[in-house]
Each structure stands twice: as structure tokens, then as C-alpha cells.
Amino acid sequence: MKRILLIEEGNRYDLVAVFGTIGTIALKENILDDPEYEKIVFSCVTDPVGAGVIDDFVSPPTHNFTGVTYAIPVAERINFVKRVMPEARKIGLIYADMPQSRGYNNWLRDYLENNAQCHGCEIFFRSVPFVESKGGMIRMAMESKKHIKELDQKVDLFLSPNDQLASQPFFPKNVYELSTKPLVGLNKMDVMEQRGATMSIFPTTEGIGKQTAKIISRLLDGAAVKEVLPEEVDAFGVAFDLVKAKQFGIEIPEDLLKQAGKNIIKPGPLE
């Protein structure tokens, strides 16, 4: 990021857009409150509060950053789990030791502690080291195997983390192959490409794109960053593998099936 900023020095851009948690943190460390960069829009950031670029989602920005998150709001994700598996109380969450997961995990802890409807619910957190290499995702998924086996008899389901560990097919496949419990995936591909997830609730890239574009448009039309509140993602979809759901004895509510639309894996004639 320092190299990029050095190359672009003096170009006086009207606005800078940055996508992803790591890129946003890198920009923050280099040009937070820099008068040469008055308008920075982040998108697809799991926890911009934890990243230090905004204070919250209800106050005017105090820095030169505003934008849109990536992670499904915790309340939406937990309520989705409760709708599909109302008797579930124990959740296994294996995550990579990365900023986006650390922030999201704190939100999960706070939500469970402060909501009466979650009484008796517990999340078993297990971490694997972040591996920064070309084969890092595979190595992290390999590290997750011991945790999957250890948690299998302790939990009712597994929840994919909000980080790079869950963005590739290796981790969900491990959960399906090594455990006897269903997985709530991170994205649509975890279900529709049969990576191993039974169900998934996920932000839509189209929805995030539209939210981000509206913020960029307002800023380019003359609004100051402090006039444009950051936003949590508000467009999301759901997907279900009905073959796996049957294996786990899960009955999907009709309204959620309707919401899923074409994002459903249905049993074949012999299943």
C-alpha cells in the first residue's frame, strides 16, 4: 500500500475506493485523516469499527472514511440459524486468526450475552493460525481438522467464520467429511457448488455494489464524508442443500425456501 500511494502521490484524486478488510486497514495506517485524501470509501469490510476507520454506524464519521460492511449482521445470522434449527443451542466456530474474524467474533459474543432469546446458547470458538502463502488456505483447512473432530460431539452445528479460511472450498468440505453436524456456510457457493454446507445466508455482491455506488455518488456530488453515514450490508440471500438437510433431519421453513429461489439443491430421483 505504501508503494501504491507513493506511485499515486500528487494525483489529487476526488475519491479513493478500497475493497476488503486488509486493504482498508493498510489505507488507514497510511492516510487516516490525511488532507490530501478527503474522501475514502470502503466496501466489503467485516468490521470497520474494529479496523479503526469509523466509530459506529449511527454517528457522523470522524475520519476521512465511510462505506459499507461485508458481514451479514450478527442478529440476521443467528436468527437464520434459529429459524432453521430452533432446538440448536451449541455452535462450533473455527476461524483463522485474522482481523475480520476477531471483530466478528466479538459481535457474536456480545449478541449472545445481551439477548434473552439466546439464553442457553453457546459458541465454541477455536482458532487456526493465519498462513500467509500461496497454499495458505489449504494449510489452514488442514489445521482446522483437529478442531472439527474435537467439537463434533459438543455442538449442534458448525458456523463458517467471516474470513479467508471459509472463502475457499477446503474448510466446508472438511466439516462435511469429518463431522456429523450441519454447516452454515459463508457464501452461496458453499451450498450451490456442494462444498459441504447444508445452508447459507450471505451478502449479495450486487446489493453491496449498489450500496457502495450510492455512497460514492453522494460524495462525488459534493457531500462531505461526515455527512454520509457508513452502512451495514442490507441485501442478502439464502441457499439450501435439501439433500444434506434431509440427512441431518432439518425441515426448512417454506418462506425461507421461497426466499432462496433458485439457490436450492434438490434431491434427485433416487434420493
Side-chain angles (χ1 to χ4, degrees):
M1 186 60 73
K2 288 181 179 178
R3 181 180 62 83
I4 292 172
L5 292 172
L6 183 63
I7 293 171
E8 301 296 337
E9 187 175 9
N11 282 330
R12 304 295 300 180
Y13 289 106
D14 297 314
L15 181 146
V16 174
V18 58
F19 297 86
T21 295
I22 302 303
T24 299
I25 291 174
L27 271 187
K28 181 208 72 171
E29 292 177 350
N30 286 278
I31 57 173
L32 184 72
D33 296 329
D34 187 329
E36 186 175 341
Y37 297 93
E38 295 180 357
K39 300 178 180 181
I40 303 173
V41 177
F42 61 79
S43 188
C44 297
V45 177
T46 298
D47 180 12
V49 177
V53 294
I54 61 171
D55 298 324
D56 52 47
F57 293 95
V58 296
S59 308
T62 56
H63 302 295
N64 49 344
F65 284 76
T66 189
V68 182
T69 61
Y70 174 79
I72 291 292
V74 165
E76 295 286 354
R77 209 166 184 212
I78 294 298
N79 288 336
F80 174 74
V81 171
K82 290 175 69 66
R83 287 288 316 282
V84 179
M85 298 182 66
E87 303 301 320
R89 292 293 181 272
K90 309 295 184 182
I91 299 173
L93 197 157
I94 303 165
Y95 65 97
D97 189 13
M98 303 181 68
Q100 46 268 68
S101 259
R102 291 194 291 269
Y104 196 80
N105 292 352
N106 287 334
W107 293 348
L108 283 168
R109 292 186 182 97
D110 290 344
Y111 187 82
L112 262 62
E113 290 176 3
N114 297 308
N115 285 270
Q117 62 178 352
C118 295
H119 179 71
C121 296
E122 183 178 2
I123 299 180
F124 295 78
F125 293 97
R126 300 289 187 272
S127 68
V128 299
F130 173 60
V131 180
E132 191 175 358
S133 68
K134 185 176 181 180
M137 305 305 170
I138 297 176
R139 290 173 60 188
M140 288 192 294
M142 291 290 290
E143 284 287 323
S144 74
K145 288 184 176 182
K146 60 185 179 184
H147 297 306
I148 296 170
K149 294 176 182 178
E150 179 248 330
L151 290 176
D152 186 42
Q153 299 305 312
K154 299 179 181 179
V155 303
D156 300 309
L157 72 147
F158 286 89
L159 191 66
S160 283
N162 276 266
D163 59 38
Q164 269 75 351
L165 173 64
S167 67
Q168 299 295 316
F170 317 111
F171 173 73
K173 286 184 177 180
N174 283 347
V175 174
Y176 184 66
E177 292 172 359
L178 298 174
S179 79
T180 60
K181 306 296 167 57
L183 170 70
V184 179
L186 183 66
N187 53 56
K188 181 171 69 174
M189 294 180 292
D190 288 343
V191 173
M192 299 309 294
E193 294 185 2
Q194 300 191 53
R195 293 179 173 182
T198 299
M199 66 205 86
S200 184
I201 180 170
F202 53 90
T204 66
T205 52
E206 180 181 0
I208 293 175
K210 288 181 177 180
Q211 277 186 267
T212 307
K214 288 178 181 178
I215 287 177
I216 290 174
S217 180
R218 286 186 61 190
L219 292 171
L220 291 179
D221 283 343
V225 167
K226 66 180 181 180
E227 298 173 327
V228 183
L229 292 180
E231 302 175 4
E232 292 187 279
V233 60
D234 62 10
F236 49 86
V238 295
F240 299 99
D241 185 329
L242 298 185
V243 177
K244 292 181 177 61
K246 184 178 180 181
Q247 291 174 356
F248 294 115
I250 299 172
E251 190 72 30
I252 310 298
E254 286 296 327
D255 63 315
L256 289 179
L257 290 174
K258 184 176 180 180
Q259 182 183 349
K262 296 181 180 179
N263 296 326
I264 297 174
I265 299 293
K266 297 181 179 180
L270 301 179
E271 293 176 295

